[in-house]
């Protein structure tokens, strides 16, 4: 509300104060879990167990980070997750936009049939086992294709792009057509350059999805060299897999080792893995908001 | 949100000749569409055909076609299995709790945030509130495992206050609440975007004239903001109803443990263990199919109800 509020009643003032307090609490509750990881990861040895360690580490040590950064499986995971995200996003964008553009033309024969067919996949699916068996039959187990192809085109993204393409004035295309351009030329030279906002939005959605996705990595990838970052995290943090923690700890001197419990390591590895997301987050945030408005409200 | 119009569905073949002509005319576009259609056939419709597994005793050597039909055997097995009923109940309960608490949370947050006048503070809270949505459940679960552990900050506060520390994540009485709370933590900010966007689309004049008529801030919120949000709220409600049996696989999988299995095991985790770990393909498929069919009925039903109650245009189609 940009409107100037001239005077406030007493109850409105009380409400304002309570509201600010409430919002500040929301802010704290959202930020604290991250901060807790920072404090834990920077704590030395058993000081991670002191109850005073709520806001600041009792004794600061960078040891956990040194150990975690020397852990090769983490870097393998990073590499594979980056490959998956970049490849998956590129392929998704190409094929989602290629699918959405024809569907934005009402005159396209069988448009209704194809649209319905794609829409139905939002309502019903075969479920876990048939999907797994298909990927297995296609020989994609332990390849990046098992992570990239099954989710290549999402129905929702198709409709968001289609709605955007529809909003582009048809006169632009008509004049290009008079100049002898075919649909593919028009798509590349006119439609795509005009559609940067929607493409950026879908790209970010897809990329975040790939980066955070782990279940497909769990069921389709068994080869240790192809492990994803999220699976590395899961093994160390959730399953609390002692062999993995031991592996990281082996780098420590034996007397120091007894002082570390894995708790700091878990926090450190979690933060290291989250850093890329937190660093790019402020830049991508505004696109997400734009995208959701475009797709959900204006569409 | 209109995903597609009535014309999309009704359009199509009227005259055969006209049709053939237009196929030729639009061959370029149809060719562009081809990879996408092939994708949906291979990765969506073929797995739908795989649903037949649920009605067969799948033998991996024979493939789906040659395996023997067994009718509804696997469905009967599921419904007579007390554990399946438990898992079904868990899915429903967890999901209902999440909807009851989680659905109003972003609406409330958006309404209150909208009343914050300091733009910088508003922006800061808003930005921070979206962040958890962008982390995977592995990461979020890892954080909360840390926070809720015996020597984590929550227990530190509890012991400072003079109570006995608790093992939250292995205690069946707390587990579902933890699922609900962490789910809200991760999603409330992101969920509010759509409402904040709708609020910013409300015309300024409405507020101004209400103000001139003597409406105070609360009256303006109740008579202008909330009614303007109604259509968006209905859409979000319909979308969420269809997922009533999705209690949150990623979240549960990363947070549960053997101590809380009775209250936390859901259809999806059950299907995963039965299907992929025990390799009981047919049974797991049957359970999955049951879930998909219930979801399908729910979304069609809620869409119909939305169109009827709110008038045309409220539903998704």
């Amino acid at each position: 509300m940009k409107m100037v509020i001239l005077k406030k009643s007493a109850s409105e003032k009380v409400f304002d104060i309570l509201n600010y307090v409430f919002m500040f609490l929301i802010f704290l509750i959202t930020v604290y879990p991250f901060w807790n990881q920072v404090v834990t990861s920077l704590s030395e040895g058993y000081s991670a167990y002191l109850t005073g360690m709520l806001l600041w580490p009792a004794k600061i040590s960078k040891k956990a980070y040194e150990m975690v950064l020397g852990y090769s499986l983490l870097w393998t995971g990073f590499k594979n997750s980056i490959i998956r995200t970049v490849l998956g996003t590129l392929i998704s964008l190409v094929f989602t936009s290629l699918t959405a553009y024809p569907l934005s033309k009402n005159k396209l024969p069988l448009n209704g049939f194809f649209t319905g067919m794609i829409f139905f996949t939002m309502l019903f699916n075969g479920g876990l086992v048939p999907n797994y068996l298909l990927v297995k039959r296609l020989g994609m187990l332990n390849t990046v294709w098992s992570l990239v192809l099954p989710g290549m085109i999402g129905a929702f993204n198709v409709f968001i792009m289609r709605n955007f393409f529809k909003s582009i004035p048809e006169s632009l295309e008509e004049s290009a057509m008079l100049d002898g351009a075919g649909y593919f030329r028009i798509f590349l030279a006119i439609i795509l350059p005009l559609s940067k906002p929607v493409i950026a939005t879908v790209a970010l959605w897809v990329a975040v999805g790939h980066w955070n996705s782990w279940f497909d990595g769990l069921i389709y990838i068994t080869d240790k060299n192809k492990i994803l970052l999220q699976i590395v995290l899961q093994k160390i943090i959730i399953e609390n897999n002692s062999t993995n923690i031991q592996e990281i700890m082996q780098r420590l001197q034996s007397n120091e080792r007894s002082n570390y419990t894995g708790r700091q390591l878990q926090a450190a590895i979690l933060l290291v893995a989250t850093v890329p997301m937190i660093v790019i987050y402020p830049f991508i945030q505004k696109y997400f908001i734009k995208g959701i408005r475009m797709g959900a409200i204006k569409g | 949100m209109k995903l597609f119009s009535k014309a999309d569905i009704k359009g199509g073949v009227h005259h055969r000749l006209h049709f053939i002509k237009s196929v030729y005319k639009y061959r370029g576009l149809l060719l562009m569409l081809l990879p996408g259609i092939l994708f949906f056939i291979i990765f969506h419709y073929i797995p739908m055909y795989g649903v037949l597994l649920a009605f067969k005793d799948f033998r991996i050597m024979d493939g789906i076609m040659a395996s023997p039909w067994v009718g509804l055997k696997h469905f009967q097995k599921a419904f007579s299995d007390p554990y399946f009923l438990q898992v079904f109940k868990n899915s429903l309960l967890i999901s209902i709790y999440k909807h009851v608490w989680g659905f109003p949370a972003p609406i409330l947050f958006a309404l209150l945030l909208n009343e914050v006048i300091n733009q910088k503070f508003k922006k800061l809270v808003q930005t921070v509130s979206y962040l958890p949505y962008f982390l995977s459940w592995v990461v979020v679960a890892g954080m909360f495992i840390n926070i809720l552990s015996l020597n984590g900050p929550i227990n530190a506060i509890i012991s400072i206050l003079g109570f006995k520390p608790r093992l939250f994540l292995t205690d069946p009485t707390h587990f579902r609440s933890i699922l609900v709370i962490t789910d809200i933590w991760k999603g409330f900010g992101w969920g509010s975007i759509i409402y904040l966007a709708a609020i910013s689309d409300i015309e300024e004049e409405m507020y101004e004239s209400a103000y001139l008529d003597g409406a105070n801030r609360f009256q303006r919120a109740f008579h202008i903001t909330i009614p303007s949000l109604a259509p968006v709220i209905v859409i979000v409600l319909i979308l969420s109803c269809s997922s009533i049996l999705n209690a949150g696989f990623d979240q549960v999988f990363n947070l549960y443990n053997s101590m809380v299995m009775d209250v936390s095991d859901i259809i999806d985790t059950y299907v995963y263990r039965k299907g992929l770990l025990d390799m009981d393909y047919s049974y797991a498929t049957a359970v999955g199919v049951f879930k998909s069919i219930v979801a399908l009925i729910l979304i069609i039903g809620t869409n119909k109800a939305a169109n009827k109650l709110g008038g045309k245009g409220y539903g998704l189609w």
Side-chain angles (χ1 to χ4, degrees):
Chain A
M1 267 190 275
K2 273 158 273 156
M3 180 179 54
V4 189
I5 290 149
L6 296 173
K7 56 178 183 208
K8 285 189 218 167
S9 67
S11 67
E12 285 181 36
K13 276 179 199 155
V14 172
F15 168 80
D16 264 337
I17 294 168
L18 289 178
N19 197 25
Y20 272 97
V21 172
F22 181 70
M23 283 298 152
F24 187 66
L25 281 177
I26 296 261
F27 175 80
L28 282 187
I29 289 169
T30 318
V31 169
Y32 184 73
F34 295 92
W35 183 243
N36 177 253
Q37 302 307 305
V38 175
V39 173
T40 308
S41 64
L42 286 173
S43 294
E44 190 193 44
Y46 279 113
S47 74
Y49 283 95
L50 298 176
T51 46
M53 194 213 66
L54 287 171
L55 295 174
W56 202 254
K59 241 180 165 181
I60 294 184
S61 157
K62 287 180 295 182
K63 203 93 213 165
Y65 286 95
E66 281 166 26
M67 284 187 281
V68 162
L69 293 179
Y71 181 48
S72 64
L73 205 58
L74 178 72
W75 298 116
T76 312
F78 253 112
K79 189 192 80 190
N80 290 329
S81 282
I82 290 170
I83 293 174
R84 172 202 177 145
T85 304
V86 172
L87 184 69
T89 308
L90 285 177
I91 291 185
S92 270
L93 281 183
V94 170
F95 289 100
T96 307
S97 56
L98 273 178
T99 308
Y101 179 60
L103 295 177
S104 72
K105 301 274 158 268
N106 282 336
K107 282 175 256 159
L108 183 83
L110 292 177
N111 189 333
F113 172 77
F114 292 131
T115 306
M117 174 186 168
I118 292 172
F119 180 70
F120 187 66
T121 65
M122 289 170 81
L123 305 181
F124 190 81
N125 62 70
L128 178 62
V129 175
N131 278 304
Y132 176 79
L133 292 176
L134 174 70
V135 169
K136 198 174 160 188
R137 270 293 287 280
L138 292 172
M140 301 195 304
L141 289 186
N142 274 317
T143 67
V144 70
W145 304 114
S146 67
L147 310 172
V148 159
L149 291 184
M152 185 174 88
I153 307 176
F156 193 76
N157 292 341
V158 170
F159 292 124
I160 285 190
M161 277 203 190
R162 182 194 73 151
N163 287 352
F164 191 92
F165 294 153
K166 265 189 182 173
S167 70
I168 296 173
E170 222 160 322
S171 51
L172 280 173
E173 294 172 65
E174 278 159 11
S175 58
M177 225 168 257
L178 288 178
D179 291 341
Y183 278 111
F184 197 70
R185 269 290 288 285
I186 292 173
F187 176 66
L188 286 182
I190 297 174
I191 302 294
L192 283 186
L194 286 173
S195 306
K196 275 178 200 148
V198 79
I199 290 169
T201 305
V202 172
L204 289 165
W205 267 329
V206 174
V208 172
H210 274 298
W211 184 258
N212 281 335
S213 164
W214 57 277
F215 183 65
D216 46 5
L218 181 77
I219 61 177
Y220 297 139
I221 306 289
T222 47
D223 181 345
K224 220 178 174 183
N225 292 316
K226 298 195 170 134
I227 196 164
L228 297 175
L229 181 62
Q230 301 290 341
I231 304 291
V232 177
L233 289 182
Q234 206 206 6
K235 280 196 189 318
I236 291 175
I237 293 159
I238 313 290
E239 291 174 19
N240 213 333
N241 192 322
S242 54
T243 52
N244 283 299
I245 291 176
Q246 220 87 99
E247 216 178 306
I248 306 177
M249 289 233 205
Q250 260 162 22
R251 302 170 54 85
L252 275 179
Q253 305 286 325
S254 58
N255 58 335
E256 265 182 296
R257 199 185 301 173
S258 59
N259 200 12
Y260 274 86
T261 54
R263 208 175 129 94
Q264 297 96 322
L265 294 179
Q266 290 176 343
I269 205 167
L270 214 149
L271 281 178
V272 169
T274 315
V275 160
M277 192 49 99
I278 292 182
V279 169
I280 58 168
Y281 171 71
F283 302 101
I284 63 178
Q285 201 229 116
K286 58 175 182 201
Y287 285 102
F288 277 102
I289 299 166
K290 219 187 268 170
I292 212 158
R293 294 190 57 174
M294 212 157 48
I297 302 196
K298 299 284 160 61
Chain B
M1 173 161 38
K2 273 284 164 226
L3 285 177
F4 51 84
S5 64
K6 274 262 142 64
D8 285 338
I9 300 162
K10 280 194 188 143
V13 200
H14 287 307
H15 308 290
R16 177 168 253 159
L17 191 66
H18 175 75
F19 176 70
I20 293 169
K21 263 188 190 161
S22 68
V23 166
Y24 182 74
K25 186 177 163 202
Y26 291 105
R27 63 193 183 283
L29 282 175
L30 287 167
L31 208 62
M32 283 168 78
L33 188 61
L34 188 65
I37 294 302
L38 281 177
F39 165 81
F40 280 100
I41 291 172
I42 294 171
F43 287 101
H44 285 274
Y45 285 91
I46 289 179
M48 283 184 207
Y49 152 83
V51 157
L52 289 180
L53 278 176
F55 305 95
K56 295 193 164 204
D57 265 337
F58 183 57
R59 289 194 298 243
I60 204 148
M61 301 310 275
D62 295 339
I64 296 176
M65 271 327 272
S67 297
W69 289 98
V70 293
L72 295 174
K73 181 178 124 184
H74 299 294
F75 291 91
Q76 278 159 355
K77 186 178 152 202
F79 288 117
S80 57
D81 177 2
Y83 196 73
F84 168 76
L85 298 175
Q86 176 70 39
V87 164
F88 183 66
K89 187 183 132 197
N90 287 344
S91 294
L92 263 179
L93 278 182
I94 292 171
S95 178
I96 288 171
Y97 292 149
K98 279 186 184 174
H99 279 83
V100 169
W101 296 103
F103 185 74
I107 302 175
L108 203 65
F109 175 67
L111 285 173
L112 291 175
L113 191 70
N114 186 47
E115 297 296 331
V116 171
I117 296 155
N118 184 323
Q119 289 300 310
K120 269 205 179 121
F121 181 65
K122 184 176 170 183
K123 191 107 205 170
L124 178 73
V125 176
Q126 201 177 347
T127 304
V128 164
S129 73
Y130 303 151
L131 181 60
Y133 179 82
F134 294 98
L135 305 177
S136 70
W137 266 113
V138 180
V139 169
V140 174
M143 285 184 177
F144 280 96
I145 288 172
N146 234 325
I147 286 172
L148 295 167
S149 71
L150 208 48
N151 29 52
I154 301 281
N155 271 317
I157 292 170
I158 288 177
S159 42
I160 288 169
L161 295 175
F163 296 101
K164 260 180 78 178
R166 288 157 185 264
L167 274 164
F168 289 103
L169 283 169
T170 50
D171 186 344
T173 54
H174 295 309
F175 195 80
R176 283 180 187 150
S177 314
I178 291 169
L179 289 180
V180 173
I181 293 167
T182 52
D183 192 53
I184 293 177
W185 183 83
K186 194 173 187 287
F188 80 92
W190 179 252
S192 73
I193 292 184
I194 190 164
Y195 302 113
L196 288 167
I199 288 173
S200 69
D201 282 348
I202 300 173
E203 281 171 33
E204 205 63 36
E205 289 87 45
M206 299 233 299
Y207 287 109
E208 275 162 25
S209 58
Y211 178 76
L212 291 177
D213 287 344
N216 66 26
R217 251 163 100 194
F218 302 104
Q219 286 166 328
R220 291 198 294 270
F222 277 102
H223 295 294
I224 299 173
T225 317
I226 294 176
S228 307
L229 286 183
V232 185
I233 293 175
V234 173
I235 286 165
V236 177
L237 196 62
I238 300 172
L239 284 174
S240 71
C241 279
S242 65
S243 63
I244 204 88
L245 287 183
N246 284 330
F249 178 84
D250 287 19
Q251 180 194 22
V252 172
F253 190 89
N254 283 301
L255 281 170
Y256 76 167
N257 52 68
S258 57
M259 307 282 285
V260 291
M261 218 58 170
D262 284 349
V263 295
S264 66
D265 203 11
I266 55 173
I267 298 179
D268 293 321
T269 45
Y270 183 62
V271 167
Y272 165 69
R273 288 200 315 277
K274 280 284 165 200
L276 297 192
L277 301 184
D278 302 348
M279 297 209 269
D280 197 346
Y281 290 135
S282 289
Y283 179 66
T285 307
V287 173
V289 167
F290 170 70
K291 192 195 139 188
S292 299
I293 289 172
V294 174
L296 185 65
I297 292 169
L298 278 172
I299 194 164
I300 291 173
T302 43
N303 190 64
K304 235 185 196 143
N307 277 330
K308 214 169 225 164
L309 294 175
K312 281 279 165 223
Y314 265 78
L316 282 178
W317 68 89

